[in-house]
């Protein structure tokens, strides 16, 4: 069967440029006037420039040494001076002028459209038959007869998963130029001045280049201005992730409804059951043990002794106050807490720890570290900074240093669950939970050589809350470091359960926290934005909520495993009875 066309089957008018040019006309370039290839010409003038500079500097030093007047020049000096100005003029004209113009004379979107439209039309029409990248399969690249000012419209009609798109004339030309490679896709926002329009054009160009439909990826209903320059580059739509609510979760005497963004069935329901068990038993108690973000640059010296000298200098308490003043200049909230060093031969790894207020703080601590490195360069001029991050931090990777020293917020959360709640709500016994936790979370994880993974599924809850509240999902790696402990108390009648999480990395300002959906979830928890009363209070409360939700999730999943209900519950709640084949047809 013939594939359906993307656009309407009505006759369309071909695009008529305002000025016609012969298709066989050769579009010349400025570099064609050079007798040599462009790269050889550039290499020649580069070599000439640096050679005469070296010659003139040598002559200048020789005249100073022999007390010869500088204005006395030989024939070779005259030739060298002439060559210097000639090569400098060429390099400035070839590289400098275009670079300066690109910074100073950036056209507005209207100017770009008005001045370049005619030229782009001519080039595109001249190269249309020779274009290497064809239109996508079943896509019609002809122009429908619509008013030029009409916006891009996406209708709900879908033919074999091919969206029916109506592209106005001015946008059609831009789409073609993106497909042809004459307009970079990443520059659409700056050239058009309309982020949503740029996303729509980029999306259509992508469909033509790949021949694949993006009909299932939503475009409308999102504020693309809010992500410009901070959250995502070159957007073509957004992904929908359902958000469920677990709770009320009772922590430190306050109730919280916990938003969880996930596509895994049973996760929200299981966490909700754990919240219920904790609430019926009087709630959980959460304690913040430490609050400090880290960054660890790597520096290198000529000898191991020099690296050791810097280590002793940084770890000397008498120098800490001076280093703190230098570090703290980077932010109102960033405050240096400590410095820990490790040596590997001539290489020194310096782990800075600082408080960051309500921000997660990676950028804040990085700026402070840069200030200290610049300061140290004076007393240690032989220090070679290899990188601002040397992985001794350690960010977005499982590392023992985070498990032992902590990173971000270090939190411990505990609850005492009554025996009758364990039996009636969790459908198991205290003895079974204690035994399972010892053999699974402790012994089993040790047998597997786990690093910070002495738990059932802490990362499940952390990832769901992180996505819902605009945290960095990649930091789920170290943020899910957790050890779950269970113990029978009160003569074996009740259960004491706790989770210890040394590196929860969260913030309530910056990054994705300011997007509308994520901001709404933070507002639901009462931790939106920066705390006006106590800087850092909102981010610390969010860390406590994360740990408490992990406690609820651990309690419920372990109970399901102990009662033999894990497979049964997933078959009941994580399996759809809908006939997918009929639904898709």
């Amino acid at each position: 069967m013939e594939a359906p066309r993307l656009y309407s089957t009505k006759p369309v008018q071909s695009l008529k440029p305002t000025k016609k040019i012969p298709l066989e006309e050769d579009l010349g370039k400025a570099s064609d006037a050079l007798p040599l290839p462009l790269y050889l010409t550039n290499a020649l003038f580069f070599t000439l420039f640096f050679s005469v500079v070296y010659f003139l500097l040598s002559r200048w030093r020789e005249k100073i040494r022999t007390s010869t007047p500088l204005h006395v020049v030989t024939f070779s000096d005259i030739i060298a001076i002439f060559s210097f100005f000639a090569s400098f003029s060429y390099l400035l004209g070839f590289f400098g002028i275009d670079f300066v113009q690109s910074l100073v004379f950036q056209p507005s979107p209207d100017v770009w459209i008005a001045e370049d439209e005619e030229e782009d039309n001519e080039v595109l029409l001249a190269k249309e038959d020779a274009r290497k990248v064809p239109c996508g399969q079943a896509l019609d690249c002809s122009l429908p007869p619509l008013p030029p000012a009409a916006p891009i419209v996406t209708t709900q009609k879908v033919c074999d998963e091919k969206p029916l798109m109506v592209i106005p004339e001015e946008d059609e030309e831009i789409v073609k130029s993106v497909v042809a490679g004459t307009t970079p896709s990443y520059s659409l926002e700056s050239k058009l001045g309309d982020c949503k329009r740029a996303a729509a054009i980029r999306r259509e160009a992508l469909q033509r280049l790949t021949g694949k439909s993006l009909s299932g990826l939503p475009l409308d209903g999102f504020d693309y201005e809010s992500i410009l320059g901070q959250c995502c580059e070159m957007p073509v739509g957004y992904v929908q992730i359902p958000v469920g609510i677990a709770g009320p979760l009772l922590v430190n005497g306050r109730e919280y409804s916990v938003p969880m963004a996930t596509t895994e069935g049973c996760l929200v329901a299981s966490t909700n059951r754990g919240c219920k068990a904790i609430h019926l038993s009087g709630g959980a108690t959460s304690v913040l043990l430490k609050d400090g973000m880290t960054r660890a640059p790597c520096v290198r010296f000529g000898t191991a002794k020099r690296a050791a000298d810097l280590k002793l200098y940084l770890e000397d308490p008498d120098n800490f106050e001076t280093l703190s003043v230098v570090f703290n200049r980077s932010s109102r909230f960033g405050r240096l807490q400590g410095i820990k060093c490790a040596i590997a031969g001539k290489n020194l790894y310096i782990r800075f720890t600082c408080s960051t207020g309500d921000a997660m703080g990676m950028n804040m601590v990085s700026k402070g570290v840069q200030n200290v490195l610049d300061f140290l360069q004076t007393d240690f001029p032989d220090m070679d900074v290899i990188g601002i991050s040397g992985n001794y931090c350690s960010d977005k990777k499982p590392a023992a240093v985070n498990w032992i020293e902590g990173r971000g917020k270090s939190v411990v959360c505990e609850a005492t669950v009554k025996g009758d709640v364990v039996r009636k709500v969790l459908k198991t016994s205290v003895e079974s939970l204690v035994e399972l936790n010892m053999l699974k979370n402790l012994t089993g994880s040790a047998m597997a050589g786990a690093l910070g993974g002495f738990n059932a599924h802490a990362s499940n809850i952390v990832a769901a809350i992180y996505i819902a509240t605009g945290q960095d999902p990649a930091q789920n790696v170290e943020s899910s470091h957790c050890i779950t402990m269970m113990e029978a108390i009160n003569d074996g009648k009740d259960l004491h359960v706790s989770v210890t999480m040394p590196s929860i990395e969260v913030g309530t300002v910056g990054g994705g926290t300011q997007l509308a959906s994520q901001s709404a979830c933070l507002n639901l928890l009462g931790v939106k934005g920066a705390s006006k009363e106590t800087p850092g209070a909102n981010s610390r409360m969010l860390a406590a909520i994360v740990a408490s939700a992990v406690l609820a999730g651990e309690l419920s999943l372990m109970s399901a495993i102990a009662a033999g209900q894990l497979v049964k519950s997933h078959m009941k709640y994580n399996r759809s009875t809908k006939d997918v084949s009929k639904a898709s047809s």
Side-chain angles (χ1 to χ4, degrees):
M1 185 176 67
E2 183 180 356
R5 299 179 70 84
L6 179 65
Y7 299 108
S8 171
T9 57
K10 294 181 180 181
V12 297
Q13 300 175 357
S14 61
L15 181 65
K16 297 180 179 180
T18 57
K19 181 171 63 175
K20 296 182 179 179
I21 61 173
L23 294 181
E24 65 275 7
E25 180 179 345
D26 185 17
L27 301 176
K29 300 180 180 178
S31 60
D32 295 340
L34 298 174
L36 296 176
L38 185 59
Y39 72 95
L40 290 180
T41 305
N42 290 340
L44 176 62
F45 277 97
F46 266 114
T47 305
L48 179 61
F49 176 77
F50 289 108
S51 298
V52 297
V53 168
Y54 177 78
F55 175 78
L56 291 175
L57 289 177
S58 301
R59 289 285 297 154
W60 181 44
R61 184 175 58 183
E62 181 181 350
K63 289 180 180 181
I64 294 176
R65 187 175 61 252
T66 60
S67 300
T68 303
L70 297 179
H71 65 274
V72 176
V73 293
T74 63
F75 181 71
S76 59
D77 294 339
I78 296 175
I79 294 177
I81 294 173
F82 176 79
S83 301
F84 169 78
F85 283 108
S87 59
F88 179 77
S89 300
Y90 172 82
L91 296 177
L92 179 63
F94 191 83
F95 295 101
I97 295 177
D98 290 340
F99 177 73
V100 172
Q101 287 180 345
S102 66
L103 295 179
V104 178
F105 303 105
Q106 291 186 355
S108 64
D110 294 337
V111 174
W112 177 76
I113 295 173
E115 294 182 357
D116 294 348
E117 185 177 17
E118 180 177 336
E119 180 181 352
D120 291 344
N121 288 344
E122 294 173 354
V123 175
L124 288 175
L125 287 175
K127 295 183 178 180
E128 185 174 5
D129 294 335
R131 184 171 56 191
K132 295 182 180 180
V133 183
C135 293
Q137 182 179 0
L139 298 180
D140 189 356
C141 294
S142 58
L143 181 66
L146 292 174
I152 293 180
V153 179
T154 305
T155 66
Q156 297 297 324
K157 184 177 180 180
V158 177
C159 299
D160 289 350
E161 298 183 355
K162 297 289 185 180
L164 183 61
M165 301 289 295
V166 181
I167 310 295
E169 179 178 343
E170 55 182 338
D171 289 343
E172 176 67 21
E173 287 305 308
I174 303 173
V175 170
K176 288 184 178 180
S177 67
V178 173
V179 172
T182 57
T183 298
S185 177
Y186 62 82
S187 67
L188 289 175
E189 280 80 4
S190 61
K191 289 186 175 181
L192 297 176
D194 186 337
C195 292
K196 182 179 179 182
R197 182 183 173 202
I201 291 174
R202 181 182 297 112
R203 177 193 183 101
E204 177 61 20
L206 179 63
Q207 291 185 125
R208 296 188 187 185
L209 282 168
T210 62
K212 305 296 183 181
S213 172
L214 292 176
S215 60
L217 185 69
L219 175 67
D220 297 327
F222 187 82
D223 182 13
Y224 293 94
E225 301 282 348
S226 64
I227 64 172
L228 181 63
Q230 58 182 347
C231 290
C232 180
E233 298 75 40
M234 295 189 288
V236 294
Y238 60 96
V239 174
Q240 297 170 315
I241 301 179
V243 177
I245 295 296
L249 175 63
L250 184 59
V251 184
N252 296 336
R254 293 182 57 184
E255 292 185 349
Y256 298 93
S257 296
V258 183
M260 302 175 65
T262 182
T263 56
E264 179 182 351
C266 288
L267 179 59
V268 178
S270 177
T271 307
N272 188 68
R273 183 174 74 151
C275 292
K276 179 181 179 181
I278 293 173
H279 199 292
L280 292 174
S281 300
T285 301
S286 179
V287 180
L288 182 77
L289 304 175
K290 190 185 299 183
D291 182 7
M293 182 51 64
T294 64
R295 174 61 84 196
C298 173
V299 299
R300 181 172 57 192
F301 289 88
T303 63
K305 181 181 182 303
R306 286 293 290 163
D309 290 341
L310 179 56
K311 180 180 186 297
L312 296 175
Y313 175 85
L314 291 173
E315 294 181 345
D316 188 346
D318 295 336
N319 299 325
F320 183 78
E321 184 177 353
T322 301
L323 296 174
S324 296
V325 173
V326 176
F327 184 97
N328 297 343
R329 284 200 296 246
S330 62
S331 171
R332 291 184 300 151
F333 303 104
R335 293 294 177 265
L336 183 63
Q337 296 177 343
I339 302 175
K340 181 180 179 65
C341 299
I343 283 185
K346 300 184 298 180
N347 307 299
L348 180 65
Y349 297 84
I350 314 167
R351 194 172 193 259
F352 294 83
T353 305
C354 82
S355 59
T356 57
D358 283 304
M360 184 268 290
M362 286 297 300
N363 292 333
M364 191 181 302
V365 65
S366 296
K367 290 190 293 184
V369 168
Q370 188 62 58
N371 287 346
V372 174
L373 292 177
D374 294 340
F375 172 79
L376 293 174
Q377 205 78 55
T378 303
D379 293 332
F380 296 87
D382 54 336
M383 179 181 70
D384 182 16
V385 179
I386 302 301
I388 190 68
S389 175
N391 273 11
Y392 188 49
C393 313
S394 174
D395 186 43
K396 301 174 184 176
K397 293 166 283 292
V401 68
N402 292 335
W403 176 241
I404 298 171
E405 298 289 338
R407 188 171 195 257
K409 276 72 174 171
S410 299
V411 182
V412 60
C413 186
E414 64 178 348
T416 298
V417 184
K418 298 178 181 178
D420 58 345
V421 174
V422 173
R423 291 187 296 272
K424 295 178 181 179
V425 178
L426 302 177
K427 309 299 182 183
T428 186
S429 64
V430 173
E431 296 81 5
S432 298
L433 281 174
V434 172
E435 182 181 31
L436 177 64
N437 185 73
M438 180 187 66
L439 296 179
K440 170 183 167 62
N441 288 340
L442 304 183
T443 308
S445 297
M447 293 293 292
L451 177 60
F454 298 91
N455 57 81
H457 70 149
S459 61
N460 245 338
I461 290 85
V462 173
I465 299 178
Y466 272 28
I467 296 173
T469 58
Q471 310 303 312
D472 189 340
Q475 290 185 324
N476 175 51
V477 175
E478 62 268 36
S479 296
S480 296
H481 283 348
C482 171
I483 182 168
T484 301
M485 303 292 291
M486 293 185 182
E487 180 184 352
I489 59 175
N490 298 333
D491 297 328
K493 297 179 181 178
D494 301 326
L495 175 71
H496 180 273
V497 56
S498 68
V499 293
T500 304
M501 305 179 69
S503 53
I504 300 179
E505 299 162 345
V506 291
T508 57
V509 297
T513 64
Q514 57 195 359
L515 300 179
S517 301
Q518 290 81 346
S519 180
C521 291
L522 290 172
N523 187 58
L524 175 66
L525 293 172
V527 294
K528 176 183 175 181
S531 174
K532 297 180 180 179
E533 293 80 14
T534 306
N538 283 350
S539 61
R540 290 192 287 268
M541 179 54 66
L542 179 58
I545 294 171
V546 171
S548 302
V550 168
L551 180 69
E554 290 287 283
L555 186 60
S556 183
L557 177 60
M558 292 292 288
S559 299
I561 296 176
Q565 298 174 341
L566 180 64
V567 176
K568 181 179 178 181
S569 61
H570 272 271
M571 293 301 296
K572 180 178 180 180
Y573 296 105
N574 202 19
R575 294 288 179 178
S576 174
T577 58
K578 183 187 300 184
D579 190 335
V580 180
S581 61
K582 292 183 179 180
S584 60
S585 62

